[in-house]
Amino acid sequence: MAEQSKYNWKEAAQQEGGEYAEKLPDGTHRVEITRVVYGRKDGTLFVSKSNDPQIMLIFADELGREASQMVTLSYKAGFVLAKILEAAGAELDKMTDHDVTPRSFADPEFANPNLIGRQLQIEVIWGSKNGKEFSDIIPVGMAGSADELPQVSKPDDDIPL
């Protein structure tokens, strides 16, 4: 076996790339919501054309491959988040009873503990528009039995998810 040369940390620090994870390929995958992104790197929050708040959900499989989905937090577009939450085992009736609205998820203190760590199965379909690549995420159900799903820690007993 050949001996490897020394790792050049200074050279590695100058290289471009490495910022993005490998993409989840087209198909059905067991994933976890690993991050919620609220805006651009410059601090500008995501908003829709109608000026409704948006979030980007990052889904990753056990290999760390990722796909993302923009979610508009309005009553009209709330079905997208509702389908994701239902597939991830959220208690939708409790959410209704506790007056949780789509806009509730614009607050990182509410959204992060209630979304990050949730597991589900999704179908990923990659496409492109105007030269930009995007993933279309279709929730297809729970990722295993309820016993296998993570127990998401909640900062407050009143959070209904």
Side-chain angles (χ1 to χ4, degrees):
M1 177 179 264
E3 188 176 322
Q4 290 184 330
S5 62
K6 291 183 179 179
Y7 187 79
N8 188 329
W9 288 97
K10 200 153 196 98
E11 182 181 305
Q14 302 304 313
Q15 290 180 2
E16 295 294 321
E19 185 175 328
Y20 301 102
E22 182 181 346
K23 295 187 308 188
L24 270 171
D26 283 344
T28 302
H29 303 276
R30 178 184 174 133
V31 296
E32 179 177 312
I33 299 172
T34 57
R35 292 190 323 270
V36 180
V37 181
Y38 299 90
R40 294 172 182 74
K41 289 182 181 180
D42 67 5
T44 307
L45 295 177
F46 293 135
V47 293
S48 70
K49 291 177 185 173
S50 304
N51 212 31
D52 291 308
Q54 292 181 308
I55 56 175
M56 180 187 298
L57 299 178
I58 309 297
F59 301 90
D61 69 3
E62 72 272 354
L63 300 175
R65 300 176 300 178
E66 294 181 341
S68 62
Q69 177 76 40
M70 287 297 288
V71 178
T72 300
L73 303 175
S74 69
Y75 277 82
K76 184 176 181 180
F79 71 93
V80 174
L81 184 57
K83 288 176 185 267
I84 291 168
L85 288 168
E86 181 178 51
E91 297 184 47
L92 302 182
D93 289 333
K94 278 182 141 181
M95 291 172 60
T96 301
D97 292 346
H98 284 82
D99 296 323
V100 174
T101 68
R103 284 187 185 260
S104 300
F105 290 89
D107 179 1
E109 289 189 25
F110 179 82
N112 288 344
N114 283 292
L115 292 172
I116 295 173
R118 294 230 176 236
Q119 295 182 4
L120 65 153
Q121 286 194 152
I122 59 171
E123 183 176 348
V124 178
I125 302 168
W126 286 95
S128 64
K129 187 175 183 178
N130 300 326
K132 291 189 177 187
E133 200 168 25
F134 66 92
S135 57
D136 190 17
I137 305 295
I138 302 165
V140 293
M142 304 251 317
S145 72
D147 294 335
E148 296 172 347
L149 293 173
Q151 297 301 313
V152 179
S153 61
K154 300 175 187 174
D156 186 324
D157 288 338
D158 291 334
I159 295 179
L161 301 177

